[in-house]
Amino acid sequence: MTGEAWVEPAARLPLRWGRYRDRVVAGLVLIATGLVHLQAASTLNLVPLIVGTAAHTIGWLILPAAAWRRIVPLLPSGLVVWLLLTGPQSMWTLAVPFVCWLIARHRPWRSLLALAPVLLYGVLAAAVFREYEQQVLALGLAGVVLTGSAWWAWALARPAPASRTAPPSTPGTGTASA
């Protein structure tokens, strides 16, 4: 074991502005609040569509990541937040922004295992929540599932600890016994 602490790949990137942790927190807050704010739109109030979409997009753009990893999520995640206007039956589509999060956070392929709870929740939400009035509750529970899945993906991204083994002995150095 080398004794070095594991550092996330995105944290090793040189930043042109801001601090790593600040940009992660601000990006996540804007992504999530943009999604929730957009859900407040109605045929009589279209302002949340503009504000929510703008916040959601800016959130992806300020995350500390390679440029292409910040740009790729814009269209698919933006479409999903608009698709969620159809109601809780669309909760399964949150799998798309979750995969975008894994891409932006430089997670390895094995982290996709954490997608399973997000999809399972989406199926359960479609069966349990039937009316648009239940959207706030469905989104709140989705936030819990997405947070847990993101932490699981983080744990899956960490390298396995090196096992402690005894140093190999060299043959022929010991004494022979009869």
Side-chain angles (χ1 to χ4, degrees):
M1 204 165 170
T2 63
E4 290 183 33
W6 180 73
V7 178
E8 291 197 36
R12 288 188 235 131
L13 294 172
L15 299 177
R16 294 183 186 184
W17 62 274
R19 294 188 323 224
Y20 172 77
R21 183 62 53 200
D22 295 341
R23 286 180 58 180
V24 170
V25 170
L28 180 58
V29 166
L30 285 169
I31 290 167
T33 56
L35 180 149
V36 173
H37 190 75
L38 195 136
Q39 301 307 308
S42 69
T43 54
L44 301 175
N45 185 12
L46 299 177
V47 174
L49 295 176
I50 298 165
V51 174
T53 302
H56 189 77
T57 302
I58 292 168
W60 285 112
L61 291 174
I62 66 171
L63 280 177
W68 72 269
R69 290 177 180 265
R70 288 181 282 151
I71 293 171
V72 164
L74 296 179
L75 182 62
S77 185
L79 289 174
V80 165
V81 297
W82 278 66
L83 186 61
L84 285 172
L85 288 169
T86 62
Q89 294 80 15
S90 299
M91 283 294 142
W92 65 272
T93 62
L94 286 172
V96 173
F98 183 73
V99 170
C100 291
W101 177 257
L102 297 179
I103 290 169
R105 303 296 295 141
H106 295 245
R107 299 291 186 242
W109 288 107
R110 66 181 173 269
S111 296
L112 285 174
L113 289 172
L115 182 61
V118 177
L119 289 171
L120 179 62
Y121 172 74
V123 171
L124 290 173
V128 173
F129 302 113
R130 293 294 187 185
E131 300 297 325
Y132 191 78
E133 290 78 30
Q134 298 170 320
Q135 181 78 340
V136 173
L137 177 59
L139 280 174
L141 292 172
V144 171
V145 172
L146 288 166
T147 302
S149 294
W151 279 107
W152 185 26
W154 174 81
L156 289 170
R158 294 176 60 92
S163 62
R164 295 179 184 246
T165 58
S169 61
T170 53
T173 59
T175 58
S177 58

